[in-house]
Amino acid sequence: MLPEVPVAQGVWPLPQKINQFAERYPLSPREFTFRYANNSLAQSGCSVLDTAFKRYLPLVFPGYSVGKENGRDPLAGHPSSRVNPFILVVRMRESDCDGYPDAESKEDYSLSVSKGGGLLAAGTVWGALRGLESFSQLVYQDDHNTFYINKTKIEDFPRFQYRGILLDTSRHFLPIQTILKTLDAMAYSKLNVFHWHIVDDPSFPYQSRSFPHLSNQGAFHPVLGKGPAQSAHPLLPWRPPDGTLGPVNPAVGSSYQFMTHLLKEIRDVFPDSYIHLGGDEVDFSCWKSNPEVRMFMSKMGFRSDYTKLQAFYMESLMNITAALNKTSIVWQEVFDYHEKPKALSVVEVWMGGCYLCEVRKVTRAGVRVILASPWYLDLPGPTHDWSRYYNVRPLAFTGSEQQKQLVIGGEVCVWGEYVDATNLAPMLWPRASAAAERLWSDEEQTCSASEAFPRLAQFRCRLLRRGVQAGPLSVGHCRHEYQEEPPARTVLRMAARQVDHALLSPQTALCVPRTSTQNRRKLPPSTASVWQSGDHRNQGRAVNDQPV
Amino acid sequence: MLPEVPVAQGVWPLPQKINQFAERYPLSPREFTFRYANNSLAQSGCSVLDTAFKRYLPLVFPGYSVGKENGRDPLAGHPSSRVNPFILVVRMRESDCDGYPDAESKEDYSLSVSKGGGLLAAGTVWGALRGLESFSQLVYQDDHNTFYINKTKIEDFPRFQYRGILLDTSRHFLPIQTILKTLDAMAYSKLNVFHWHIVDDPSFPYQSRSFPHLSNQGAFHPVLGKGPAQSAHPLLPWRPPDGTLGPVNPAVGSSYQFMTHLLKEIRDVFPDSYIHLGGDEVDFSCWKSNPEVRMFMSKMGFRSDYTKLQAFYMESLMNITAALNKTSIVWQEVFDYHEKPKALSVVEVWMGGCYLCEVRKVTRAGVRVILASPWYLDLPGPTHDWSRYYNVRPLAFTGSEQQKQLVIGGEVCVWGEYVDATNLAPMLWPRASAAAERLWSDEEQTCSASEAFPRLAQFRCRLLRRGVQAGPLSVGHCRHEYQEEPPARTVLRMAARQVDHALLSPQTALCVPRTSTQNRRKLPPSTASVWQSGDHRNQGRAVNDQPV
């Protein structure tokens, strides 16, 4: 458990090696500087880091904003308000500052904090970003709001290279601010891949230069869209396939010409190394209903096996992608249907059941794997079910060392049927952070959800303070949430005028003062909830659904 | 289904009698007035209505705010921008404008809209508020943003008198703004009881004048609270009862003196007719461990039946409450344990299983019932499960007409273990609105969730526009959500700098333009999702979990 006064803060996700000491140093934003080491290959002018320094100052010192000198000094009125300068020196072993990250980018860093300053050493700027995040999480405030950092040594690197989140902008519109806020929160959890499921059946919001009609006709639009109800009216009849609607027609050359053209544009627009070609859950009824397709089938000798047709089509897409020097990712069905599975680059495993069986199969074929199955966050489940996403063991299958090497990482998926800007954040955070620690940290050191809990609870408060609406993990509060509020009755008076009448439940008045303190100090939530109406929520299910 | 151009808007919850006609009239905020009828018993100066008129003008005309004349005229540039004045005349049959509502307050109203104006007639100001809400929901905008209202006649009154929401401020702190926003949203759904579960074991935020130490020692506090993790640390040991902690000690007179004093204060602070005394899930182990209590048990001849002791204690509380001219509500256990159940005033049924069996039992004893069991919204479940809360039949038990009369209403409960300001709104709305229609509207006319769906989807968009973060019901969008955004690549470029690399999934590019339009127009979400990766979310569960 945490001692009465926090002598040190946890870092989430847990670094590979971290030593913290009781010795601690007060910090003041006014006396704090980022600086490049003289022998650093990157120096002032390194765009990625220069901007990161600006971004992290307010993250290291919440409530303090640059230039806002009239903002209250966090040390004002505090006895030890004389604070020594602190310099975080950054030393880069490489000079590349302007490139884009790719699948091979290294992220290792080392960080040491001692009296008067710290040293952050990294190979790439991406590693330096991870180190800055860890540093920001080492700083905390005591009850007088003085900032402190403890003497600390960290050696850190990610367990998996690919740590992603899939957002779906086809089923619901997501404002850019919502997407950017998610990217910030990903950086706080050291997640490094944004998988943008930008288009799908329900809408096509990607604005193509070459084919503007795709989004003009396919995106949600007030006039085209004609109000909310129609976009998903459960009573509207489903029209059976008639050969005019459905997946791409793989029987005509124009399909491939179109796809080549579109993928060329995508290569130019997006600097990234991967393109996800999909290929999951293709419904064959449309193809079956199309005479042209049936003719093509027999010509190719596929008989009535439409999985062969899909394999044929996907292989062509993968070839086009390879010719564009991009790495293609496909959903697991493409592997299952394929006759030369070794030809695939990366397979994403998403189906439930024994997903590790599929991981074993794919890696045995020598193909790289991204694991998504255990991290479908849009499936129903209360926010506190974070341990479900934490207690995943991606390599717990029987296979050679080479096979394990082929598991390049995992991905949290948030499909959009029932997700939009109103509920995305509390659905993602801090549950995605649980997955993030599984993908970054050493499994041996992070095998206990109950040991992780206080650190995650602390991290969740940090997320809130950084403006990420992370959902609650359990009963309780964050220090920063406390502020003077007018007495309860004020609210209720106002209430009574808007709503008709109101009730008050003082049901446990007498026994509370002592027990409540007791609960906050000693009792696990489920135990507390056994006492009084807390157990209400267990109406109809198991009593103990606490994180452990 | 809704026609291409909406000729009329649904009202949620559905009025008892509503006739809408195709004839419609353009409206302009500049040409719109609320006015008291000459023969109205309430006139200008009636505080509740005067403020309601101010509150509703921007609700009737979203985007328009009083005095903000530089705000864009919703009619600008529109051909028919000459709009006739429209006056909503309000006629009150009673003059009481300054009292507080109580359990007996009537809420019936009638509303008729025709060329040039409308008439809203009501007995009480509370009925008038319901009528104003219905009126505001009749106004809509066409694709040119012109406001319209159709010729309409409404006769309306609630099916149940008690339609509540329970919020729990003991397990998590809820900012006043969050509570007030919830009250606004309740008014939009014609919910009329705010059940404030203000205190419980985890914390005691009610600030008592007579006993300030209750909140001083019992409320969440940064210094007392000592950080977030400790308030709910699953590893901390649970201390077995030792007679010093637990429910009120019913064996000593001082308990009853204290309770009398506290309830007196509560009567003075809260003007409302009900006080909820709780009495659920009392754990007896603490009493059993207390020699004083055991002695009292034998003196009273309770032997070892602690339910008798609880009944004795609760009866005393109910007597104190009655002496203060307040009506007491208790959870169902108090009824189950009580020897003279007829003595109870109101029983709230919350347990799962056959809750209607309990309703029958309680009403057979001639005691009033509030039903909560089917409306525990904090239990896990995706937002779109609204039909679960809609398809409830509170009176579907065998019993006399008198028994049915004793069911005074229902309550949506949101216990706070895993709920705070970050996720309250999308958890409550629009699911609580589904319960609201069940409690307000005629069951015969609202027995089909699929018929209700488009109206609820429309209402949810209205909630969003009014600033209530209601969660999505299905795939789609709201008209007002559409706005110009920079092209996709802009976001992704910014993204790539913060997170490492990004992916794009153009998996259904070719077939989308036609199908997506198709989907938005014709396909129910689950059908659409059968086509491509939409079905991802059905990984591991039934395919068809759409609202119907």
Side-chain angles (χ1 to χ4, degrees):
Chain A
M1 64 170 284
L2 294 176
E4 283 298 298
V5 173
V7 296
Q9 293 286 292
V11 175
W12 192 280
L14 188 71
Q16 301 288 341
K17 245 183 98 188
I18 177 167
N19 301 323
Q20 288 181 299
F21 307 88
E23 185 180 340
R24 68 178 191 176
Y25 322 108
L27 300 177
S28 159
R30 306 240 178 91
E31 298 294 336
F32 181 89
T33 344
F34 290 109
R35 181 178 301 162
Y36 291 92
N38 300 333
N39 59 349
S40 169
L41 291 190
Q43 290 292 339
S44 185
C46 176
S47 56
V48 173
L49 290 185
D50 288 355
T51 53
F53 294 160
K54 287 194 187 60
R55 205 162 60 241
Y56 268 98
L57 190 62
L59 295 177
V60 171
F61 300 102
Y64 176 85
S65 55
V66 193
K68 183 160 145 292
E69 289 312 335
N70 56 350
R72 64 147 178 65
D73 183 342
L75 292 177
H78 184 245
S80 72
S81 58
R82 213 189 44 54
V83 165
N84 301 321
F86 188 99
I87 303 174
L88 183 62
V89 176
V90 177
R91 188 175 64 218
M92 304 295 304
R93 293 190 304 275
E94 292 178 17
S95 58
D96 181 6
C97 286
D98 306 306
Y100 279 100
D102 62 35
E104 267 57 51
S105 300
K106 292 264 165 294
E107 297 170 89
D108 57 291
Y109 70 92
S110 71
L111 174 66
S112 73
V113 172
S114 48
K115 194 165 194 312
L119 175 65
L120 169 59
T124 68
V125 289
W126 318 116
L129 291 182
R130 305 291 169 260
L132 283 174
E133 178 54 39
S134 296
F135 178 83
S136 74
Q137 294 186 25
L138 291 173
V139 178
Y140 61 93
Q141 288 174 281
D142 68 5
D143 293 337
H144 310 281
N145 290 322
T146 308
F147 291 104
Y148 282 101
I149 190 166
N150 287 60
K151 183 177 171 63
T152 308
K153 284 199 172 310
I154 294 180
E155 292 290 336
D156 205 8
F157 55 87
R159 178 188 183 192
F160 293 105
Q161 156 220 104
Y162 184 113
R163 308 177 306 279
I165 285 188
L166 176 153
L167 289 191
D168 173 2
T169 56
S170 173
R171 290 174 177 80
H172 279 104
F173 169 75
L174 292 179
I176 284 190
Q177 283 316 315
T178 303
I179 295 178
L180 293 180
K181 196 71 201 171
T182 304
L183 295 172
D184 287 339
M186 286 174 69
Y188 303 154
S189 292
K190 296 192 172 71
L191 291 165
N192 67 343
V193 181
F194 170 47
H195 175 173
W196 195 353
H197 189 79
I198 194 169
V199 300
D200 205 325
D201 286 355
S203 79
F204 196 98
Y206 171 70
Q207 298 179 309
S208 166
R209 295 175 194 143
S210 330
F211 307 101
H213 67 283
L214 291 175
S215 50
N216 291 346
Q217 295 173 35
F220 288 134
H221 186 283
V223 177
L224 293 176
K226 285 271 172 292
Q230 293 207 337
S231 62
H233 191 318
L235 285 185
L236 293 172
W238 175 69
R239 212 174 72 182
D242 57 6
T244 67
L245 294 173
V248 180
N249 181 344
V252 295
S254 56
S255 296
Y256 301 93
Q257 288 155 28
F258 177 97
M259 219 32 169
T260 309
H261 201 131
L262 184 68
L263 287 171
K264 265 209 188 87
E265 173 184 319
I266 286 165
R267 175 201 56 190
D268 301 338
V269 170
F270 297 94
D272 315 289
S273 39
Y274 291 117
I275 293 182
H276 200 304
L277 296 174
D280 60 306
E281 301 179 311
V282 177
D283 174 38
F284 296 139
S285 53
C286 175
W287 287 346
K288 289 175 184 168
S289 70
N290 185 328
E292 194 176 27
V293 173
R294 286 200 302 271
M295 211 184 307
F296 184 75
M297 288 282 288
S298 57
K299 193 183 109 202
M300 299 296 291
F302 294 158
R303 292 214 182 65
S304 61
D305 183 352
Y306 283 85
T307 66
K308 287 198 168 59
L309 180 57
Q310 189 193 345
F312 171 86
Y313 168 69
M314 290 306 293
E315 183 162 12
S316 318
L317 285 201
M318 289 185 279
N319 293 340
I320 296 169
T321 309
L324 297 168
N325 297 317
K326 295 281 190 180
T327 309
S328 55
I329 303 178
V330 291
W331 296 113
Q332 70 182 80
E333 290 97 317
V334 179
F335 174 86
D336 298 337
Y337 293 160
H338 218 280
E339 291 184 327
K340 321 187 230 61
K342 291 184 187 338
L344 305 185
S345 309
V346 183
V347 170
E348 183 157 10
V349 173
W350 69 270
M351 289 185 178
C354 177
Y355 53 81
L356 286 181
C357 305
E358 181 77 3
V359 172
R360 192 174 62 233
K361 251 174 60 192
V362 177
T363 52
R364 200 188 285 128
V367 176
R368 279 169 288 170
V369 168
I370 296 164
L371 181 61
S373 307
W375 292 305
Y376 267 47
L377 261 57
D378 58 311
L379 293 183
T383 310
H384 69 288
D385 263 5
W386 65 277
S387 61
R388 221 172 96 191
Y389 310 101
Y390 192 78
N391 296 328
V392 172
R393 303 180 56 208
L395 301 185
F397 61 90
T398 37
S400 67
E401 196 38 53
Q402 292 89 317
Q403 275 178 268
K404 313 276 169 127
Q405 294 293 337
L406 288 167
V407 179
I408 61 175
E411 190 155 84
V412 165
C413 296
V414 189
W415 296 98
E417 281 83 351
Y418 308 106
V419 180
D420 67 7
T422 64
N423 59 356
L424 176 65
M427 188 172 285
L428 256 180
W429 314 108
R431 296 192 300 169
S433 309
E437 177 151 298
R438 178 56 55 234
L439 291 168
W440 176 281
S441 308
D442 174 50
E443 197 169 282
E444 300 269 304
Q445 298 177 56
T446 56
C447 52
S448 158
S450 55
E451 281 176 33
F453 178 80
R455 203 162 32 88
L456 183 58
Q458 215 174 42
F459 180 68
R460 183 242 168 189
C461 289
R462 207 178 278 275
L463 288 177
L464 283 183
R465 204 154 180 203
R466 292 177 176 189
V468 179
Q469 294 301 301
L473 290 164
S474 182
V475 172
H477 73 299
C478 298
R479 279 185 73 258
H480 75 271
E481 285 176 313
Y482 178 85
Q483 62 200 32
E484 277 307 332
E485 292 259 348
R489 49 187 171 283
T490 318
V491 183
L492 209 55
R493 278 276 153 75
M494 297 162 80
R497 280 314 180 93
Q498 276 146 296
V499 177
D500 274 8
H501 41 100
L503 277 71
L504 180 71
S505 302
Q507 63 190 76
T508 60
L510 263 175
C511 61
V512 164
R514 272 136 70 220
T515 57
S516 72
T517 316
Q518 189 66 9
N519 289 344
R520 286 213 316 288
R521 296 283 164 75
K522 297 244 168 6
L523 298 180
S526 71
T527 316
S529 70
V530 170
W531 284 30
Q532 299 274 1
S533 60
D535 214 18
H536 262 302
R537 79 184 319 281
N538 295 316
Q539 175 217 49
R541 56 196 186 100
V543 171
N544 258 341
D545 56 4
Q546 70 190 63
V548 287
Chain B
M1 64 170 287
L2 294 177
E4 284 298 298
V5 174
V7 296
Q9 294 286 292
V11 174
W12 192 280
L14 188 70
Q16 301 289 340
K17 248 183 93 189
I18 176 167
N19 302 322
Q20 288 181 299
F21 307 89
E23 186 180 337
R24 68 179 191 175
Y25 322 108
L27 299 178
S28 160
R30 306 241 179 92
E31 299 294 335
F32 180 89
T33 343
F34 291 108
R35 181 178 302 163
Y36 291 91
N38 298 333
N39 59 349
S40 168
L41 292 191
Q43 290 291 340
S44 184
C46 175
S47 55
V48 172
L49 290 184
D50 289 354
T51 52
F53 294 159
K54 288 194 186 60
R55 204 163 61 239
Y56 268 99
L57 190 61
L59 295 177
V60 171
F61 300 104
Y64 176 86
S65 56
V66 194
K68 183 160 145 291
E69 287 312 334
N70 56 351
R72 66 147 176 63
D73 182 341
L75 294 176
H78 185 246
S80 72
S81 58
R82 212 188 45 53
V83 165
N84 301 323
F86 188 99
I87 303 174
L88 182 62
V89 176
V90 177
R91 188 175 64 217
M92 304 295 304
R93 293 189 305 273
E94 292 177 15
S95 58
D96 182 5
C97 286
D98 306 307
Y100 279 100
D102 62 36
E104 267 57 50
S105 301
K106 290 267 163 292
E107 296 171 89
D108 57 288
Y109 69 93
S110 72
L111 175 66
S112 74
V113 173
S114 48
K115 192 165 195 310
L119 174 64
L120 170 58
T124 69
V125 289
W126 318 117
L129 291 182
R130 305 293 167 257
L132 283 174
E133 178 55 39
S134 295
F135 178 83
S136 74
Q137 294 186 24
L138 290 172
V139 178
Y140 60 94
Q141 286 174 283
D142 68 5
D143 293 336
H144 310 282
N145 290 323
T146 309
F147 292 103
Y148 282 100
I149 190 165
N150 287 61
K151 183 177 171 60
T152 308
K153 284 200 173 308
I154 293 179
E155 292 290 336
D156 204 9
F157 55 87
R159 177 187 183 194
F160 293 104
Q161 155 220 103
Y162 184 112
R163 308 177 305 281
I165 285 188
L166 176 153
L167 289 190
D168 173 2
T169 56
S170 173
R171 291 175 177 79
H172 280 102
F173 169 75
L174 291 178
I176 283 189
Q177 282 316 314
T178 303
I179 296 177
L180 293 180
K181 195 72 200 169
T182 304
L183 294 172
D184 287 339
M186 286 174 70
Y188 303 155
S189 293
K190 297 192 170 72
L191 291 165
N192 67 342
V193 180
F194 171 46
H195 176 173
W196 194 351
H197 189 79
I198 193 169
V199 299
D200 205 324
D201 285 355
S203 79
F204 196 98
Y206 170 70
Q207 299 179 309
S208 166
R209 295 176 195 144
S210 331
F211 306 101
H213 67 282
L214 290 175
S215 51
N216 291 348
Q217 295 173 35
F220 288 134
H221 187 284
V223 178
L224 293 176
K226 284 272 172 287
Q230 293 206 339
S231 62
H233 191 318
L235 284 186
L236 294 171
W238 175 67
R239 213 174 70 186
D242 58 6
T244 67
L245 292 174
V248 180
N249 182 343
V252 296
S254 56
S255 296
Y256 300 95
Q257 288 156 26
F258 177 97
M259 221 27 168
T260 308
H261 201 130
L262 183 68
L263 287 171
K264 263 207 188 91
E265 173 184 319
I266 285 166
R267 176 202 55 190
D268 301 338
V269 170
F270 297 95
D272 315 289
S273 37
Y274 292 117
I275 293 183
H276 201 303
L277 296 174
D280 60 306
E281 300 180 311
V282 177
D283 175 38
F284 296 139
S285 52
C286 176
W287 286 346
K288 289 176 183 165
S289 71
N290 184 328
E292 192 176 29
V293 174
R294 286 201 301 273
M295 213 185 308
F296 183 75
M297 289 283 286
S298 58
K299 193 184 108 202
M300 300 295 291
F302 292 159
R303 291 213 185 66
S304 63
D305 183 353
Y306 283 85
T307 68
K308 286 198 167 57
L309 180 57
Q310 188 192 346
F312 171 86
Y313 169 68
M314 290 306 294
E315 184 163 10
S316 318
L317 285 200
M318 290 185 278
N319 293 340
I320 295 169
T321 309
L324 297 169
N325 296 318
K326 296 280 191 181
T327 309
S328 56
I329 303 178
V330 292
W331 297 111
Q332 71 183 77
E333 290 97 318
V334 178
F335 174 87
D336 298 337
Y337 295 161
H338 218 281
E339 291 185 327
K340 318 187 234 63
K342 291 185 186 338
L344 303 185
S345 310
V346 182
V347 170
E348 183 158 10
V349 174
W350 69 271
M351 289 185 177
C354 176
Y355 53 82
L356 286 181
C357 304
E358 181 78 3
V359 172
R360 192 175 60 234
K361 251 174 61 193
V362 177
T363 54
R364 201 187 285 127
V367 177
R368 279 169 289 170
V369 168
I370 297 164
L371 180 61
S373 308
W375 292 304
Y376 267 46
L377 260 57
D378 58 310
L379 292 184
T383 309
H384 69 289
D385 262 4
W386 65 276
S387 60
R388 225 172 93 190
Y389 310 101
Y390 192 79
N391 296 327
V392 173
R393 301 179 56 209
L395 300 185
F397 60 91
T398 37
S400 67
E401 195 39 51
Q402 293 87 315
Q403 275 177 268
K404 312 278 168 127
Q405 296 293 337
L406 288 168
V407 179
I408 60 174
E411 191 155 84
V412 165
C413 295
V414 189
W415 295 98
E417 281 84 351
Y418 308 107
V419 180
D420 67 8
T422 64
N423 59 356
L424 176 65
M427 187 172 285
L428 255 180
W429 314 108
R431 297 191 300 169
S433 310
E437 177 151 296
R438 178 56 54 235
L439 292 169
W440 177 281
S441 308
D442 173 51
E443 197 169 282
E444 299 268 307
Q445 298 177 56
T446 56
C447 53
S448 159
S450 55
E451 280 175 34
F453 179 81
R455 202 161 33 88
L456 183 58
Q458 214 174 45
F459 180 68
R460 183 243 170 189
C461 289
R462 207 178 277 276
L463 288 177
L464 283 183
R465 206 158 179 200
R466 292 178 175 188
V468 179
Q469 295 301 302
L473 289 164
S474 182
V475 173
H477 73 299
C478 298
R479 278 184 73 258
H480 75 271
E481 286 177 311
Y482 178 84
Q483 63 199 32
E484 277 308 330
E485 291 259 349
R489 51 186 167 283
T490 318
V491 183
L492 209 53
R493 279 274 153 74
M494 295 162 81
R497 281 316 181 89
Q498 276 146 295
V499 178
D500 274 7
H501 41 99
L503 279 71
L504 181 72
S505 302
Q507 62 191 79
T508 60
L510 263 174
C511 62
V512 164
R514 276 136 67 219
T515 57
S516 71
T517 316
Q518 190 66 10
N519 290 346
R520 286 212 317 287
R521 296 281 165 76
K522 297 245 169 6
L523 299 180
S526 71
T527 315
S529 69
V530 170
W531 285 32
Q532 300 273 1
S533 59
D535 214 17
H536 263 301
R537 83 184 315 286
N538 295 316
Q539 176 218 45
R541 56 195 188 103
V543 172
N544 260 341
D545 57 4
Q546 69 191 67
V548 288

